[in-house]
Amino acid sequence: MTPVHETFASVRRHADSLREWFARETGWILHIERDCVRLYKRPGNLIDPTRGLPDYDRRRYVLLCLACAVLERADPQITLRVLGERLLALAADPILTTQGFTFTLQAQHERRELVAVCRTLLELGVLYRVAGDEEGFVRDSSADSQVTAHDALYDIHRRVLAGMLAAVRGPSTWKPGDAPVEFDDRIRALATEHVQDSDEGRRTAVRHSLSRRLLDDPVVYLDSLPAPEKAYFINQRGTMAARLAEGSGLVAEQRAEGLALTDESGRLTDISMPAEGTDAHVTLLVAEHLADSQRTGASQRTEDEIVKFVMSARDRFGRYWRKSAREPGTERELAVAAILQLQKLQLIVLDGKQIRPLPALAVGSAAAAPPGPGRGRPCVR
């Protein structure tokens, strides 16, 4: 958070109480400086594949990390072209190329990837555009050469850049022979925190892990928890829910299968349901269809079955949808998008080609709910 954010002054004004609350309830560190605030959030669930920045895959995260490495070594200002040139040098590292990563800037889609990373850094406040135009750089076929007609100039905000990495231990601190090999092991190594070797220390670590999941995830299912966390959760979830709800403004929804903290205002969520638009309406219809199937004893569905359902739903509700979604052949794209949204909301789980509804998929009738403003209590993440 930088000073341009509307609540920056309020965060600084309540710095002491916010630091204390996050440290006590989650173990997250809130770092506050004159021109930057950073909450070092480390998720309770490290293996959730649906998390992350919008439209980011592993390749784009590699580019983001390489871009940050370039900026760390750069002067106070840098141009988009120079950033690209220096990123190319880092991308040629044999360790990356042996993993199948290549980046050349010769194709337009690669220049668009670089621009997407720059826009992420602009949104986060790492960069500030002084002059120029990124879109022209994308269209310029000479962007990978020494001279280009389109460029952009940025100021680098080093305090914000320094706070980008939220890892407990920086990746560069491992010697090449000591670094974990497998991806999951690497993620755990970056995020594993010291736990005091005592009963109280272990209880605090369990409580922090559960609090992080309750604040960060759409829902926490009992069956998804390891034994120590499950035992603590069963005994303490009422107290935890009340305390977290009081501090965050979220509303606790307790069920036999688990607990969710819902965001009725929508201010703390990146994905909500219901929501506006065609894709959101299709997602709600698919959720209703899966819930009805579950109630009638059909515990699983396939993607092809969902596609057929979306095709039939288009006949009934297509007049409410955007024009492109009414065209023949779009049903699979709509179905896949709906499945992904429900997976992100932890309302379904994908088991190979099977789609299995989860207990929180308890939705009302969507038949009278064409695209429009959000309705009812949102299921959020």
Side-chain angles (χ1 to χ4, degrees):
M1 182 183 290
T2 59
V4 300
H5 196 282
E6 61 180 0
T7 59
F8 182 83
S10 180
V11 170
R12 291 201 63 191
R13 188 162 56 249
H14 299 283
D16 291 341
S17 58
L18 287 170
R19 282 197 194 99
E20 180 186 356
W21 190 87
F22 279 114
R24 181 182 68 249
E25 300 297 343
T26 67
W28 288 334
I29 297 171
L30 180 64
H31 187 70
I32 300 177
E33 296 188 7
R34 178 177 55 84
D35 53 1
C36 179
V37 173
R38 174 67 155 117
L39 178 62
Y40 287 93
K41 277 177 52 177
R42 293 162 189 142
N45 181 8
L46 295 174
I47 60 174
D48 182 358
T50 69
R51 285 262 170 215
L53 293 167
D55 301 320
Y56 264 67
D57 54 13
R58 289 188 183 180
R59 172 182 169 82
R60 190 163 292 183
Y61 271 114
V62 171
L63 290 175
L64 177 62
C65 291
L66 293 179
C68 289
V70 170
L71 297 176
E72 183 67 28
R73 300 169 173 84
D75 293 330
Q77 287 189 326
I78 193 170
T79 65
L80 179 55
R81 179 181 61 82
V82 171
L83 173 59
E85 290 175 354
R86 295 179 182 176
L87 193 150
L88 287 176
L90 296 181
D93 190 300
I95 295 178
L96 291 176
T97 56
T98 56
Q99 295 291 324
F101 178 83
T102 60
F103 187 73
T104 65
L105 276 182
Q106 293 177 358
Q108 187 177 87
H109 72 87
E110 290 182 310
R111 296 193 293 276
R112 192 171 296 281
E113 283 184 312
L114 176 60
V115 167
V117 167
C118 286
R119 286 175 175 165
T120 296
L121 295 171
L122 285 166
E123 292 173 3
L124 294 174
V126 175
L127 296 177
Y128 174 79
R129 187 189 298 106
V130 177
D133 173 32
E134 292 93 1
E135 196 58 37
F137 177 86
V138 172
R139 295 192 300 267
D140 192 349
S141 60
S142 64
D144 59 322
S145 65
Q146 293 296 314
V147 179
T148 178
H150 299 92
D151 208 344
L153 177 66
Y154 305 109
D155 285 338
I156 302 172
H157 293 184
R158 297 204 175 278
R159 289 186 183 275
V160 185
L161 174 62
M164 282 287 290
L165 193 63
V168 175
R169 178 177 177 179
S172 61
T173 60
W174 273 284
K175 296 180 180 179
D178 298 336
V181 176
E182 298 299 327
F183 179 78
D184 290 346
D185 293 336
R186 286 173 176 262
I187 293 295
R188 281 192 292 269
L190 290 173
T192 298
E193 299 169 84
H194 174 73
V195 177
Q196 186 177 350
D197 188 16
S198 65
D199 290 342
E200 181 60 28
R202 286 184 283 272
R203 279 194 299 270
T204 299
V206 167
R207 180 170 59 81
H208 284 170
S209 177
L210 289 169
S211 295
R212 293 174 182 186
R213 293 190 63 171
L214 286 168
L215 290 171
D216 235 6
D217 295 351
V219 60
V220 174
Y221 295 105
L222 279 172
D223 291 344
S224 69
L225 299 175
E229 293 186 9
K230 185 175 183 178
Y232 186 94
F233 190 59
I234 291 173
N235 291 326
Q236 300 293 328
R237 65 175 175 173
T239 303
M240 288 185 65
R243 192 168 60 242
L244 293 175
E246 180 183 6
S248 65
L250 299 171
V251 178
E253 295 277 358
Q254 297 195 52
R255 298 290 185 269
E257 298 87 356
L259 172 64
L261 296 182
T262 62
D263 177 19
E264 296 190 337
S265 69
R267 296 183 63 190
L268 301 180
T269 184
D270 59 339
I271 300 174
S272 61
M273 191 182 80
E276 297 183 22
T278 298
D279 291 334
H281 186 224
V282 173
T283 301
L284 190 60
L285 291 169
V286 171
E288 181 193 43
H289 173 66
L290 290 170
D292 289 343
S293 300
Q294 188 178 33
R295 283 191 288 267
T296 57
S299 59
Q300 293 185 338
R301 284 286 186 263
T302 65
E303 181 181 306
D304 289 340
E305 289 174 318
I306 301 301
V307 171
K308 291 179 181 178
F309 168 76
V310 172
M311 190 184 303
S312 65
R314 186 172 56 203
D315 296 335
R316 292 178 290 161
F317 303 106
R319 64 186 182 277
Y320 298 116
W321 297 356
R322 64 177 182 269
K323 184 177 179 181
S324 61
R326 299 196 294 267
E327 298 295 328
T330 59
E331 55 273 1
R332 184 168 296 277
E333 180 183 349
L334 292 169
V336 170
I339 291 169
L340 179 60
Q341 288 293 85
L342 294 175
Q343 184 186 17
K344 289 179 178 180
L345 290 167
Q346 296 183 8
L347 299 176
I348 63 172
V349 65
L350 302 184
D351 185 8
K353 295 184 177 181
Q354 299 294 318
I355 301 166
R356 179 166 56 86
L358 293 174
L361 192 67
V363 296
S365 174
R375 300 170 174 82
R377 287 181 301 190
C379 179
V380 300
R381 60 181 269 145

